[in-house]
Amino acid sequence: MSLGIERIKVDPRQLNTSLHASDIEVSSSCGGFHHDLDWASKICEQLKTHRFALLTLPDPDASLYMSLMKQQTYPAAVNSKTDSVKTCKGHDLPEDLQSLAKSWASICESICKPVAQQLLRWTAPASPIITSAHHKVRGMLRISYNSSAGPHYDNSFVTFMGTGNTTGALQFSMRGAEPEEQGTNVHNGNLFEPCEQFIFAGRDSKLQEETTFLMLSGVRVCSPLDTVCKPLLHRVEYESSTDDVHRINAIYFLRNFEASPSNSSTTQLEIHAFNRTFLDDPNFMVGASEASVADQTDGPSGYPSHSTSEPAVPGAGQTNCLLEQVEQDSSLEQGAVDWNLDDLPFSVDA
């Protein structure tokens, strides 16, 4: 693993897309923040080299994510391990939280779409995909609240998230374990290490204070056996929190990405608290996007999009993810399934 991985600077206001930030004041001028014009290509190169990419956002945007990391942002019922589970919808949440989630989901979507399209140029250049200048997009914003996740690859085109508010909980498997390496950090021969060991390797301690975001590629665009780009095996594991400390993370999955006569976008909101679903709203955000993904990248307009009915997973029949079997499960169309190392559907992500 190379040390000192570059942080790719992305300003969502430079991506020619509509952001739902009307209810949260975000400055249109981010002085001192230098947006990388070739940001999407840089992200893809890091995904190819490291299986993850590192990004920074302007402070006003990063502050939205940090607000989602605070316990007081959520209703009291989310904090309870004993209350009976009653799955609610997004409109049941406080208006401030609804606005915050919509603003953050819009930023995530605007970043994920161009990266997914760029990755498809590498992983599925010969696929019979319909050329389209417009796209139908479905994403999921998942709030993981005091919840763990076993080893898995993401069921997404790409995944965008922070590291969460608890150091050491999000863990990467970058290599197999040596014979002498034993313990809880080894699973099925894979060694899991805190993501901070890779994210902040070779970084000055002062730079570790900045909010760093992660992009991962998922099994809908690449395979563990692919030679071009591989998804990252990861998990969430940590000691149970005290009454005063709660492990929270916000993860955005670009689940569906397909050609369409016009641009449209739907975002599902899920709050997963104490390893159970507190909220599941499949249509939390529904609307039309003003700009096509092709317009947001350096590539030619109308580059083929990818439909979820044909996941772009080279060598899928050879992987232990059992993609062909899981594709027949109707829950896949709702983006509910990820795959773990035991060849079983696994529904909880980082």
Side-chain angles (χ1 to χ4, degrees), residues 85-315:
V85 177
K86 180 182 178 182
T87 303
C88 59
K89 298 299 182 182
H91 59 73
D92 297 318
L93 296 174
E95 290 186 4
D96 287 350
L97 178 53
Q98 291 184 49
S99 181
L100 177 62
K102 289 178 179 180
S103 294
W104 182 244
S106 296
I107 288 173
C108 294
E109 180 186 305
S110 70
I111 295 171
C112 287
K113 290 188 296 184
V115 174
Q117 192 170 38
Q118 179 75 14
L119 284 175
L120 290 172
R121 293 190 179 102
W122 291 354
T123 61
S127 294
I129 308 169
I130 299 175
T131 301
S132 177
H134 304 286
H135 302 86
K136 179 180 179 181
V137 176
R138 186 173 186 86
M140 171 194 273
L141 177 62
R142 172 177 289 155
I143 306 299
S144 178
Y145 194 103
N146 280 357
S147 295
S148 57
H152 66 282
Y153 303 105
D154 286 341
N155 172 26
S156 65
F157 285 86
V158 292
T159 302
F160 184 71
M161 60 181 164
T163 60
N165 64 347
T166 302
T167 302
L170 177 60
Q171 302 173 7
F172 294 168
S173 177
M174 306 300 297
R175 63 178 179 86
E178 299 295 337
E180 65 274 11
E181 293 176 318
Q182 301 294 329
T184 58
N185 62 331
V186 176
H187 183 276
N188 281 3
N190 294 279
L191 178 67
F192 286 88
E193 301 172 278
C195 68
E196 290 83 3
Q197 293 186 203
F198 306 98
I199 295 173
F200 298 117
R203 300 282 287 182
D204 183 271
S205 59
K206 291 183 178 180
L207 295 177
Q208 295 186 26
E209 298 177 359
E210 67 182 4
T211 303
T212 299
F213 295 96
L214 296 161
M215 179 81 75
L216 308 180
S217 53
V219 297
R220 291 186 177 229
V221 75
C222 60
S223 160
L225 299 184
D226 196 1
T227 57
V228 177
C229 184
K230 300 177 185 291
L232 177 62
L233 185 65
H234 56 288
R235 72 180 186 181
V236 175
E237 186 169 300
Y238 62 102
E239 295 183 3
S240 299
S241 64
T242 67
D243 292 338
D244 298 325
V245 180
H246 293 260
R247 196 271 171 176
I248 306 173
N249 201 6
I251 311 101
Y252 178 87
F253 305 92
L254 183 61
R255 296 293 202 188
N256 294 16
F257 189 28
E258 56 188 285
S260 177
S262 60
N263 290 315
S264 64
S265 172
T266 304
T267 300
Q268 177 180 358
L269 176 64
E270 180 182 274
I271 298 180
H272 201 75
F274 298 97
N275 291 316
R276 61 186 183 180
T277 302
F278 171 81
L279 179 147
D280 185 11
D281 191 340
N283 298 304
F284 178 63
M285 288 173 59
V286 179
S289 302
E290 292 182 356
S292 69
V293 173
D295 293 335
Q296 300 170 26
T297 65
D298 295 332
S301 177
Y303 188 80
S305 66
H306 227 64
S307 170
T308 54
S309 61
E310 299 181 55
V313 186

Side-chain angles (χ1 to χ4, degrees), residues 27-70:
S27 172
S28 61
S29 177
C30 298
F33 189 90
H34 302 287
H35 174 71
D36 285 325
L37 296 179
D38 56 347
W39 64 277
S41 296
K42 286 185 175 182
I43 289 174
C44 291
E45 287 292 343
Q46 286 194 4
L47 290 173
K48 178 181 179 180
T49 303
H50 306 294
R51 284 179 278 174
F52 65 87
L54 302 181
L55 295 74
T56 58
L57 305 181
D59 288 342
D61 302 309
S63 68
L64 301 182
Y65 171 81
M66 294 308 298
S67 294
L68 289 170
M69 297 301 101
K70 298 177 181 178

